[in-house]
Coordinates of all heavy atoms in Angstrom, one line a residue:
A167 N -48.9 43.6 56.2 CA -49.4 42.7 55.1 C -50.0 43.5 54.0 O -49.9 43.2 52.8 CB -50.3 41.7 55.7
G168 N -50.8 44.6 54.4 CA -51.4 45.4 53.4 C -50.4 46.1 52.5 O -50.7 46.3 51.3
F169 N -49.3 46.5 53.1 CA -48.3 47.2 52.2 C -47.7 46.2 51.2 O -47.5 46.6 50.0 CB -47.1 47.6 53.1 CG -47.4 48.6 54.2 CD1 -46.5 48.8 55.3 CD2 -48.6 49.4 54.1 CE1 -46.8 49.7 56.2 CE2 -48.9 50.3 55.1 CZ -48.0 50.5 56.2
V170 N -47.6 44.9 51.6 CA -47.1 43.9 50.6 C -48.1 43.7 49.6 O -47.8 43.6 48.3 CB -46.7 42.6 51.4 CG1 -46.3 41.5 50.4 CG2 -45.6 42.9 52.4
T171 N -49.4 43.5 50.0 CA -50.4 43.3 49.0 C -50.6 44.4 48.0 O -50.8 44.2 46.8 CB -51.8 43.1 49.7 OG1 -51.7 42.0 50.6 CG2 -52.9 42.9 48.8
A172 N -50.4 45.7 48.5 CA -50.5 46.8 47.6 C -49.3 47.1 46.7 O -49.3 47.9 45.9 CB -50.7 48.1 48.5
G173 N -48.2 46.3 46.9 CA -47.0 46.4 46.1 C -46.1 47.5 46.6 O -45.1 47.8 45.9
K174 N -46.4 48.1 47.7 CA -45.5 49.2 48.2 C -44.2 48.6 48.9 O -43.2 49.3 49.1 CB -46.2 50.0 49.2 CG -47.4 50.9 48.6 CD -48.0 51.7 49.6 CE -49.1 52.6 49.0 NZ -49.7 53.5 50.0
V175 N -44.3 47.4 49.3 CA -43.2 46.7 50.0 C -43.1 45.3 49.5 O -44.1 44.6 49.3 CB -43.4 46.6 51.6 CG1 -42.4 45.8 52.3 CG2 -43.4 48.1 52.1
R176 N -41.9 44.8 49.3 CA -41.7 43.4 48.8 C -41.4 42.5 50.0 O -42.0 41.4 50.0 CB -40.5 43.4 47.8 CG -40.7 44.2 46.5 CD -39.5 44.0 45.6 NE -39.2 42.6 45.3 CZ -38.0 42.1 45.0 NH1 -36.9 42.9 45.2 NH2 -37.9 40.9 44.7
Y177 N -40.6 42.8 50.9 CA -40.3 42.0 52.0 C -40.3 42.8 53.3 O -40.1 44.0 53.3 CB -38.9 41.4 51.9 CG -38.7 40.5 50.6 CD1 -37.9 40.9 49.6 CD2 -39.3 39.3 50.5 CE1 -37.7 40.2 48.5 CE2 -39.2 38.5 49.4 CZ -38.4 39.0 48.4 OH -38.2 38.2 47.2
L178 N -40.5 42.1 54.4 CA -40.6 42.8 55.7 C -39.5 42.4 56.7 O -38.9 41.3 56.5 CB -41.9 42.4 56.4 CG -43.2 42.8 55.6 CD1 -44.4 42.2 56.3 CD2 -43.3 44.3 55.6
G179 N -39.1 43.3 57.6 CA -38.1 43.0 58.6 C -38.4 43.6 59.9 O -39.4 44.4 60.0
W180 N -37.7 43.2 60.9 CA -37.9 43.8 62.3 C -36.5 44.1 62.8 O -35.5 43.5 62.4 CB -38.6 42.7 63.2 CG -39.7 43.3 64.0 CD1 -39.6 43.8 65.2 CD2 -41.1 43.3 63.6 NE1 -40.9 44.2 65.6 CE2 -41.8 43.8 64.7 CE3 -41.8 42.9 62.5 CZ2 -43.2 44.0 64.6 CZ3 -43.2 43.0 62.4 CH2 -43.8 43.6 63.5
S181 N -36.5 45.1 63.7 CA -35.2 45.5 64.3 C -35.4 45.8 65.8 O -36.5 46.1 66.2 CB -34.7 46.7 63.6 OG -33.4 47.1 64.0
N182 N -34.3 45.6 66.5 CA -34.3 46.0 68.0 C -35.4 45.3 68.7 O -36.3 45.9 69.3 CB -34.4 47.5 68.1 CG -33.2 48.2 67.4 OD1 -32.1 48.0 67.7 ND2 -33.6 49.1 66.4
V183 N -35.3 43.9 68.6 CA -36.4 43.1 69.1 C -35.9 41.9 69.9 O -34.9 41.3 69.5 CB -37.4 42.7 68.0 CG1 -36.6 41.9 66.9 CG2 -38.6 42.0 68.4
R184 N -36.6 41.5 70.9 CA -36.3 40.3 71.7 C -36.7 39.1 70.9 O -37.7 39.1 70.1 CB -37.0 40.3 73.0 CG -36.7 41.5 73.9 CD -35.5 41.3 74.7 NE -35.3 42.4 75.6 CZ -34.2 42.5 76.5 NH1 -33.3 41.5 76.5 NH2 -34.1 43.5 77.3
T185 N -36.0 38.0 71.2 CA -36.3 36.7 70.5 C -37.7 36.2 70.8 O -38.4 35.7 69.9 CB -35.3 35.6 70.9 OG1 -34.0 36.1 70.8 CG2 -35.5 34.4 70.1
W186 N -38.2 36.3 72.0 CA -39.6 35.8 72.3 C -40.6 36.6 71.5 O -41.6 36.0 71.1 CB -39.9 35.9 73.8 CG -40.0 37.2 74.4 CD1 -39.1 38.0 75.0 CD2 -41.2 38.0 74.5 NE1 -39.6 39.2 75.5 CE2 -40.9 39.2 75.2 CE3 -42.6 37.8 74.1 CZ2 -41.8 40.2 75.4 CZ3 -43.5 38.8 74.3 CH2 -43.1 40.0 75.0
R187 N -40.4 37.9 71.3 CA -41.3 38.7 70.5 C -41.3 38.3 69.0 O -42.3 38.2 68.4 CB -40.9 40.2 70.6 CG -41.3 40.8 71.9 CD -42.8 41.3 71.9 NE -43.0 42.4 71.1 CZ -44.1 43.0 70.9 NH1 -45.2 42.5 71.4 NH2 -44.3 44.0 70.1
L188 N -40.1 38.0 68.6 CA -39.9 37.6 67.2 C -40.7 36.3 66.9 O -41.3 36.1 65.9 CB -38.4 37.4 66.9 CG -38.0 37.3 65.5 CD1 -38.3 38.5 64.7 CD2 -36.4 37.1 65.5
E189 N -40.6 35.4 67.9 CA -41.3 34.1 67.7 C -42.8 34.4 67.7 O -43.6 33.7 67.0 CB -41.0 33.1 68.8 CG -41.7 31.8 68.8 CD -41.6 31.0 67.6 OE1 -40.6 31.3 66.8 OE2 -42.4 30.1 67.4
R190 N -43.3 35.3 68.6 CA -44.7 35.6 68.6 C -45.2 36.2 67.3 O -46.2 35.9 66.7 CB -45.0 36.6 69.8 CG -46.4 37.1 69.9 CD -47.4 36.0 70.2 NE -48.7 36.5 70.4 CZ -49.8 35.8 70.2 NH1 -49.8 34.6 69.8 NH2 -51.0 36.4 70.5
I191 N -44.4 37.1 66.7 CA -44.6 37.7 65.4 C -44.8 36.6 64.3 O -45.7 36.6 63.6 CB -43.5 38.6 65.0 CG1 -43.6 39.9 65.9 CG2 -43.5 39.0 63.5 CD1 -42.3 40.7 65.9
R192 N -43.9 35.6 64.3 CA -43.9 34.6 63.3 C -45.1 33.7 63.5 O -45.7 33.2 62.5 CB -42.6 33.8 63.4 CG -41.4 34.6 62.9 CD -40.1 34.1 63.5 NE -39.9 32.7 63.1 CZ -39.3 32.2 62.0 NH1 -38.9 33.1 61.1 NH2 -39.2 30.9 61.8
Q193 N -45.5 33.4 64.8 CA -46.7 32.6 65.0 C -47.9 33.2 64.5 O -48.8 32.6 63.9 CB -46.8 32.3 66.5 CG -45.7 31.3 67.0 CD -45.9 31.1 68.5 OE1 -46.7 31.7 69.2 NE2 -45.0 30.3 69.1
L194 N -48.0 34.5 64.7 CA -49.2 35.3 64.2 C -49.3 35.3 62.7 O -50.3 35.2 62.1 CB -49.2 36.7 64.8 CG -49.6 36.8 66.3 CD1 -49.3 38.2 66.8 CD2 -51.0 36.4 66.5
C195 N -48.1 35.5 62.1 CA -48.1 35.5 60.6 C -48.5 34.2 60.1 O -49.3 34.1 59.1 CB -46.7 35.9 60.1 SG -46.2 37.6 60.4
D196 N -48.1 33.1 60.7 CA -48.5 31.8 60.3 C -50.0 31.5 60.5 O -50.6 31.0 59.6 CB -47.7 30.7 61.1 CG -47.9 29.3 60.6 OD1 -47.7 29.0 59.5 OD2 -48.5 28.5 61.4
R197 N -50.5 32.0 61.6 CA -51.9 31.8 61.9 C -52.8 32.5 60.9 O -53.8 32.0 60.5 CB -52.2 32.3 63.3 CG -53.7 32.1 63.7 CD -54.0 32.8 65.1 NE -53.1 32.2 66.1 CZ -53.1 32.6 67.4 NH1 -53.8 33.7 67.7 NH2 -52.3 32.0 68.3
Y198 N -52.5 33.8 60.6 CA -53.3 34.6 59.8 C -52.9 34.7 58.3 O -53.6 35.3 57.5 CB -53.4 36.0 60.3 CG -54.1 36.0 61.7 CD1 -53.4 36.2 62.8 CD2 -55.5 35.9 61.8 CE1 -54.0 36.3 64.1 CE2 -56.1 35.9 63.0 CZ -55.4 36.1 64.2 OH -56.0 36.1 65.4
G199 N -51.9 34.0 57.9 CA -51.4 34.0 56.5 C -50.8 35.3 56.1 O -50.8 35.7 54.9
W200 N -50.2 36.1 57.1 CA -49.6 37.3 56.8 C -48.1 37.1 56.4 O -47.5 36.1 56.9 CB -49.6 38.3 58.0 CG -51.0 38.7 58.3 CD1 -52.0 39.0 57.5 CD2 -51.5 39.0 59.6 NE1 -53.1 39.5 58.1 CE2 -52.8 39.5 59.5 CE3 -51.0 38.9 60.9 CZ2 -53.6 39.8 60.6 CZ3 -51.8 39.3 62.0 CH2 -53.1 39.7 61.8
P201 N -47.5 37.9 55.6 CA -46.1 37.7 55.3 C -45.2 37.9 56.6 O -45.4 38.9 57.3 CB -45.8 38.8 54.2 CG -46.9 39.8 54.4 CD -48.1 39.1 54.9
A202 N -44.3 37.0 56.8 CA -43.5 37.0 58.0 C -42.2 37.8 57.7 O -41.8 37.9 56.5 CB -43.1 35.6 58.5
P203 N -41.5 38.4 58.7 CA -40.2 39.0 58.5 C -39.2 38.0 57.9 O -39.2 36.8 58.3 CB -39.8 39.5 59.9 CG -41.1 39.5 60.7 CD -42.0 38.4 60.1
V204 N -38.4 38.5 57.0 CA -37.3 37.7 56.4 C -35.9 38.3 56.8 O -34.9 37.7 56.5 CB -37.4 37.6 54.9 CG1 -38.7 37.0 54.5 CG2 -37.3 39.0 54.2
A205 N -35.9 39.4 57.5 CA -34.7 40.0 57.9 C -34.8 40.5 59.4 O -35.9 41.1 59.8 CB -34.3 41.2 57.0
L206 N -33.8 40.3 60.2 CA -33.7 40.8 61.5 C -32.5 41.7 61.6 O -31.3 41.2 61.5 CB -33.6 39.6 62.5 CG -33.3 40.0 64.0 CD1 -34.5 40.8 64.6 CD2 -33.0 38.8 64.8
Q207 N -32.7 43.0 61.9 CA -31.5 43.9 62.0 C -31.2 44.2 63.4 O -32.0 44.8 64.1 CB -31.8 45.2 61.2 CG -30.5 46.0 61.1 CD -30.7 47.3 60.3 OE1 -30.3 48.4 60.7 NE2 -31.2 47.1 59.1
Q208 N -30.1 43.7 63.9 CA -29.7 43.8 65.3 C -28.2 44.3 65.4 O -27.4 44.1 64.4 CB -29.8 42.5 66.0 CG -31.2 41.9 66.1 CD -32.1 42.6 67.2 OE1 -32.7 43.6 66.9 NE2 -32.1 42.1 68.4
Q209 N -27.8 44.8 66.5 CA -26.4 45.1 66.7 C -25.6 43.9 67.0 O -26.0 43.0 67.8 CB -26.2 46.1 67.9 CG -24.8 46.6 68.0 CD -24.7 47.8 68.9 OE1 -25.6 48.6 69.0 NE2 -23.6 48.0 69.6
H210 N -24.5 43.7 66.2 CA -23.8 42.4 66.3 C -22.4 42.7 65.8 O -22.2 43.3 64.7 CB -24.5 41.3 65.5 CG -23.8 40.0 65.7 ND1 -23.6 39.4 66.9 CD2 -23.3 39.1 64.8 CE1 -23.0 38.2 66.8 NE2 -22.8 38.0 65.5
S211 N -21.4 42.1 66.5 CA -20.0 42.3 66.1 C -19.2 41.1 66.7 O -19.8 40.1 67.1 CB -19.4 43.6 66.7 OG -18.1 43.8 66.2
Y212 N -17.9 41.2 66.6 CA -17.0 40.2 67.1 C -17.0 40.2 68.6 O -17.0 39.2 69.3 CB -15.6 40.3 66.6 CG -14.6 39.4 67.2 CD1 -14.6 38.0 67.0 CD2 -13.5 39.9 68.0 CE1 -13.7 37.2 67.6 CE2 -12.6 39.1 68.6 CZ -12.7 37.7 68.4 OH -11.8 36.9 68.9
L213 N -17.1 41.4 69.2 CA -17.2 41.5 70.6 C -18.6 41.0 71.1 O -19.6 41.1 70.3 CB -17.0 43.0 71.1 CG -15.7 43.6 70.8 CD1 -15.7 45.1 71.4 CD2 -14.6 42.8 71.3

Side-chain angles (χ1 to χ4, degrees):
F169 299 161
V170 176
T171 300
K174 293 182 177 182
V175 171
R176 294 181 62 213
Y177 301 110
L178 298 171
W180 227 271
S181 186
N182 303 300
V183 61
R184 301 277 186 179
T185 306
W186 69 266
R187 285 276 291 178
L188 195 59
E189 176 60 16
R190 177 65 173 152
I191 289 162
R192 289 159 57 87
Q193 289 176 359
L194 287 170
C195 289
D196 183 63
R197 178 185 303 172
Y198 293 107
W200 293 325
V204 300
L206 173 66
Q207 189 175 133
Q208 298 281 88
Q209 186 163 331
H210 185 56
S211 185
Y212 174 66
L213 298 184

